[in-house]
Amino acid sequence: MDNDDISKAAAAVVSGGVIAFPTDTFYALGVDAMNAAAIRKAFEVKRRPADTPMPVLIADSDQAELFTTGFGDASRTLADRFWPGALTIVVDAKDDVPDVLMGGLGTVGLRVPDHELARRLIAVSGCGITGTSANISGQPPTKDWNTIEETIGDDVDAIVAGKCGSASSASTVVQVVGDSVRILREGPISAMDIETVLGES
């Protein structure tokens, strides 16, 4: 994947398009996470009602400020230790974050993927990009871009051909309110890992 290909995919995102791109887990459907119309398009590609929150992938922790004013000490501590990686941090969203992204919850889940190509794509796009799996609802996620081409190729504006990472399980999800941290889903990063890091800060 050369810089020109990355630029073309990023341009599709910025213009409101839907792309499929590799991450550290599986292929993801990417749109500008602040573009409500584009998010609805992604739900249409997945053949799924737009009633569940979509995770957001960001290039680095500084991009969290695009989505929240609640990225405080606890969030920063966890991000410094576990990003890039398998930790999604759910925080209160800014007022201008699209409701369709949040599934009406008023919160947004942020993660920096442990995948250099994905981070470059996000950085060049200049926006957070949705990280929902690139599959039709009910079908398994995939790491193979050829499968993406066969199943949803006609529905997306670009497919970034590349290799996904080796991870095959969903990230750990924590919700941070102030300095209070609640584990919503335990994944590769354990509750004990999180408690240890917060205890050291």
Side-chain angles (χ1 to χ4, degrees):
M1 177 59 56
D2 61 30
N3 289 332
D4 187 50
D5 291 330
I6 291 282
S7 297
K8 288 177 180 176
V13 169
V14 172
S15 65
V18 182
I19 68 167
F21 67 103
T23 73
D24 44 354
T25 54
F26 299 98
Y27 258 83
L29 278 183
V31 302
D32 178 353
M34 293 293 282
N35 184 326
I39 296 165
R40 292 189 184 95
K41 286 182 190 176
F43 276 113
E44 290 172 4
V45 172
K46 286 182 70 71
R47 323 283 203 269
R48 190 172 79 185
D51 57 1
T52 54
M54 274 200 184
V56 177
L57 300 181
I58 53 180
D60 54 48
S61 57
D62 289 341
Q63 274 195 323
E65 296 175 3
L66 298 172
F67 298 92
T68 182
T69 56
F71 210 74
D73 291 342
S75 299
R76 187 70 60 181
T77 296
L78 292 173
D80 288 347
R81 172 61 182 83
F82 296 114
W83 282 358
L87 183 69
T88 297
I89 301 176
V90 178
V91 290
D92 289 336
K94 285 182 174 180
D95 291 341
D96 59 347
V97 173
D99 193 61
V100 67
L101 178 75
M102 303 181 290
L105 298 177
T107 56
V108 61
L110 305 172
R111 187 170 79 86
V112 176
D114 188 13
H115 193 276
E116 193 268 340
L117 188 154
R119 292 196 305 274
R120 279 171 53 208
L121 172 65
I122 298 163
V124 172
S125 299
C127 59
I129 295 180
T130 57
T132 189
S133 57
N135 59 302
I136 295 172
S137 186
Q139 295 185 0
T142 183
K143 295 177 182 282
D144 179 22
W145 73 269
N146 289 296
T147 300
I148 300 294
E149 179 71 51
E150 292 168 3
T151 56
I152 60 172
D154 292 339
D155 299 324
V156 298
D157 297 287
I159 298 174
V160 179
K163 187 175 181 180
C164 290
S166 60
S168 58
S169 58
S171 65
T172 296
V173 181
V174 298
Q175 184 164 10
V176 179
V177 180
D179 288 327
S180 173
V181 178
R182 183 161 62 102
I183 296 174
L184 302 182
R185 180 181 72 201
E186 191 166 354
I189 298 169
S190 70
M192 183 174 293
D193 292 335
I194 291 166
E195 290 168 4
T196 298
V197 168
L198 291 175
E200 292 171 350
S201 62

